[in-house]
Amino acid sequence: SELRVDGGACVNDLLMQYPDSRVVDEASLYLAEATLGGGLYEDARRMFEKVYRLNFSSSTRCRAAYGLGRCAYEQGDLPEAQQWLTQAIDMTEEAEDARLGTAYYLLGRVCVQQKNYEMASRAFRAALEKRLSNDEYFEVTAALIRSKISERRYIEAMELLESIPEPRLSQEQTCEVMLIRSRI
């Protein structure tokens, strides 16, 4: 808490002295992202909102929107998470942005919780088109398969399951694939 207050005071000092500086954008976002990483979702949400409202560059606003979506998701505010994640995705200028895969994945999870399986499937498919680590790839694919099962689209679910490259799977993931196969 003390670190957070001191960090916030530093950023506020920067804002007062250099309101047009790019460093202030980055410092504000860094503080909000560190707060999010620390699990202080409400505090991070307030910081991201402030950055977003200060109308810095479009890339800064995009990062803030992503942060707001993540905070809302972690706090269980699904409609707001969907709104912010969708906005962050729409604002992303570079198709290779590393956050896009995660944003689509979180959006898909939001849609599953809202029982909107069709939209969840679209979000998961979009996530699969982005750069993902092996673990992220498996999580997204498994979520997409579960969504297809919920939609009673068993053939599509099985085709997705069969398309997972085995070398990308850990032993635990291989076991999960077998469990999913038995569910189908």
Side-chain angles (χ1 to χ4, degrees), residues 2-144:
E2 187 173 304
L3 176 64
R4 186 170 44 91
V5 171
D6 290 340
C10 270
V11 172
N12 285 335
D13 289 345
L14 281 172
L15 279 169
M16 299 286 256
Q17 292 178 1
Y18 308 101
D20 296 327
S21 172
R22 176 81 179 134
V23 175
V24 174
D25 295 8
E26 291 301 317
S28 299
L29 273 172
Y30 178 77
L31 181 61
E33 288 168 348
T35 304
L36 172 64
L40 301 169
Y41 305 120
E42 189 57 40
D43 292 337
R45 197 176 193 167
R46 280 194 300 275
M47 290 179 205
F48 282 122
E49 284 175 358
K50 184 176 182 180
V51 169
Y52 187 85
R53 276 187 265 122
L54 287 173
N55 199 17
F56 292 126
S57 69
S58 61
S59 66
T60 301
R61 291 188 69 178
C62 179
R63 284 174 60 189
Y66 173 75
L68 284 162
R70 180 79 189 264
C71 288
Y73 175 80
E74 296 294 346
Q75 291 179 304
D77 187 345
L78 300 179
E80 189 163 324
Q82 182 175 357
Q83 172 199 342
W84 284 114
L85 290 168
T86 301
Q87 186 167 351
I89 290 166
D90 291 344
M91 292 174 74
T92 302
E93 295 172 357
E94 293 182 31
E96 296 302 314
D97 190 313
R99 289 178 305 236
L100 273 175
T102 304
Y104 278 119
Y105 174 59
L106 285 178
L107 180 59
R109 290 181 62 177
V110 166
C111 292
V112 164
Q113 290 180 37
Q114 294 175 328
K115 299 193 185 326
N116 185 347
Y117 300 115
E118 186 178 326
M119 187 172 175
S121 292
R122 285 196 311 267
F124 290 138
R125 285 223 184 261
L128 286 173
E129 294 174 7
K130 304 302 173 193
R131 278 185 313 186
L132 301 169
S133 70
N134 285 345
D135 288 339
E136 290 171 327
Y137 172 83
F138 180 76
E139 288 300 318
V140 170
T141 304
L144 177 57

